Amino acid sequence: MGISFVGTKEKVLAEHVIPVEEINANWVTLMPFGYMRSVTDSLVRYDTSWQWEGEKTKGLHATIPLFQAKGIKVMLKPQIWIRKGVYTGKINPKTPQAWKAFKSSYRKFILHFASVAAQHNLPLYCIGTELPSMIKQEEKFWRELILELRTIYKGKLVYAENWDQYQAVPFWDALDYMGINAYFPLKGERPVNLEDIRKRWTQTKKEMAQMSKQLNRPVIFTEMGYRSIDDPLSRPWDYRDNTQKYNPKMQAMALEALLLEFMPQPWWKGGFVWKWFPHHSSVGGENHKGFTPQNKLAEEVLRTYFTKRK
């Protein structure tokens, strides 16, 4: 069980790892970023002079040993950010030549950070995040990339697909895990309680279990989490909604329901809570409506349940 540790401008220090250790997390995700100017761009830019320290190779080399020293395992999860926060699932270079250039650039990006994962002997590497437009028409590219990755990286491989697209990934059999960014809508009547939220997971959990069994691949929630607002369940992915009131109880209850439903499942191998910032004392807390559980009721939920599953 783990958290998604945000790369920031500043260098991560040993003191920033202590709060992660104190919630009993035994995994973290570190996320170097590549940038694209638009969905039609053919170049993934990374390790640039203007990127934050935690998003670059240099920052990873400094941060990884701090977690390893505490016995906390690291998944490396390179991600693309498109200008203005456009969804990566819309990537669509306009010509065959542009697609070819994009694939070449993406391959270089992923192989580079795989070499970082190999250098630090990391146990888990994520080969992509929320790229359904690229998945649907480029199965051959992905299978070839996975084979190439296995020549330089000896740990386990996962891909992180969005909740509404994971059933369409054609190459789960080539990976070690099915990775799902688990922002499933859990709509229902209000007011809501813990048991009600748990029941809303029934059909989704059934479908996931069937697919896991069919493919003989366990599931990891490569991202999971909720905002601290009145209704974080209907559109869990929506980080831009500023109309709702601060409600830390709903965030905590939603996370607890998820953990209660999935922790007993033998095919579910854990997940990474979105998201956790290095400067713990100054993050989250009262009236912070974002995803982080820090200094909110949800942090105590993690502390309680993380002790129950290693």
Side-chain angles (χ1 to χ4, degrees):
M1 302 293 293
I3 51 93
S4 299
F5 192 83
V6 178
T8 57
K9 294 180 182 179
E10 300 83 8
K11 182 178 180 180
V12 174
L13 305 175
E15 63 193 62
H16 299 144
V17 177
I18 294 173
V20 179
E21 188 181 24
E22 289 179 342
I23 62 164
N24 304 303
N26 64 332
W27 281 85
V28 298
T29 298
L30 298 181
M31 297 162 289
F33 272 85
Y35 287 84
M36 294 174 62
R37 292 171 178 165
S38 71
V39 295
T40 59
D41 196 356
S42 295
L43 182 62
V44 180
R45 300 159 183 84
Y46 62 94
D47 280 349
T48 67
S49 60
W50 44 263
Q51 280 182 260
W52 288 356
E53 178 82 4
E55 298 177 345
K56 300 194 292 185
T57 302
K58 180 181 178 182
L60 294 174
H61 285 317
T63 303
I64 291 170
L66 297 177
F67 285 107
Q68 290 177 325
K70 294 292 187 178
I72 298 173
K73 298 176 183 177
V74 176
M75 173 173 78
L76 201 58
K77 181 168 169 267
Q79 296 188 207
I80 291 176
W81 178 264
I82 302 173
R83 182 177 291 176
K84 297 183 179 180
V86 176
Y87 176 44
T88 50
K90 296 181 178 180
I91 290 174
N92 186 28
K94 291 301 185 182
T95 66
Q97 294 77 14
W99 262 110
K100 184 178 180 180
F102 171 69
K103 288 188 294 182
S104 176
S105 182
Y106 186 82
R107 171 184 168 275
K108 181 181 178 183
F109 171 62
I110 289 300
L111 289 175
H112 169 77
F113 286 106
S115 69
V116 175
Q119 181 177 341
H120 290 277
N121 197 29
L122 300 186
L124 187 58
Y125 184 66
C126 186
I127 69 171
T129 298
E130 295 180 2
L131 297 167
S133 63
M134 192 179 176
I135 295 299
K136 291 176 182 176
Q137 56 186 317
E138 296 291 349
E139 180 180 355
K140 182 174 182 289
F141 166 80
W142 286 101
R143 289 189 178 276
E144 290 176 349
L145 177 61
I146 291 165
L147 289 174
E148 190 172 8
L149 284 165
R150 292 200 185 278
T151 66
I152 64 173
Y153 172 74
K154 304 306 179 184
K156 303 295 186 181
L157 296 176
V158 65
Y159 164 69
E161 187 52 278
N162 205 22
W163 64 274
D164 59 343
Q165 298 288 331
Y166 81 93
Q167 293 179 330
V169 176
F171 52 81
W172 286 133
D173 61 292
L175 299 170
D176 300 292
Y177 298 99
M178 296 167 51
I180 303 174
N181 288 354
Y183 303 112
F184 293 90
L186 301 174
K187 297 180 180 180
E189 298 298 322
R190 295 181 63 85
V192 65
N193 58 39
L194 183 65
E195 289 306 312
D196 176 42
I197 300 175
R198 294 185 66 177
K199 289 177 183 177
R200 296 183 192 186
W201 275 110
T202 301
Q203 183 58 34
T204 296
K205 188 172 66 172
K206 180 180 178 181
E207 293 171 359
M208 209 178 297
Q210 290 174 340
M211 190 166 179
S212 176
K213 181 178 180 181
Q214 178 185 350
L215 294 174
N216 192 29
R217 289 294 181 273
V219 173
I220 294 173
F221 284 174
T222 36
E223 292 178 22
M224 59 185 187
Y226 300 93
R227 294 178 62 198
S228 44
I229 53 178
D230 280 340
D231 181 16
L233 299 170
S234 298
R235 295 171 59 86
W237 61 87
D238 189 353
Y239 66 94
R240 291 177 170 171
D241 179 6
N242 293 317
T243 63
Q244 298 195 51
K245 294 180 180 178
Y246 173 68
N247 191 330
K249 292 182 180 179
M250 278 302 301
Q251 180 190 37
M253 189 160 52
L255 273 172
E256 184 173 12
L258 183 154
L259 294 170
L260 285 169
E261 284 300 297
F262 286 93
M263 284 175 60
Q265 308 306 318
W267 48 267
W268 190 73
K269 299 304 178 182
F272 297 87
V273 174
W274 188 266
K275 53 190 177 174
W276 192 277
F277 294 87
H279 299 283
H280 179 68
S281 62
S282 60
V283 173
E286 188 173 358
N287 293 321
H288 184 277
K289 299 179 184 180
F291 281 93
T292 183
Q294 290 168 274
N295 300 301
K296 304 176 188 176
L297 291 174
E299 183 176 334
E300 189 56 39
V301 170
L302 300 187
R303 196 185 322 276
T304 299
Y305 286 91
F306 279 12
T307 62
K308 297 180 180 180
R309 171 93 176 240
K310 294 296 185 181

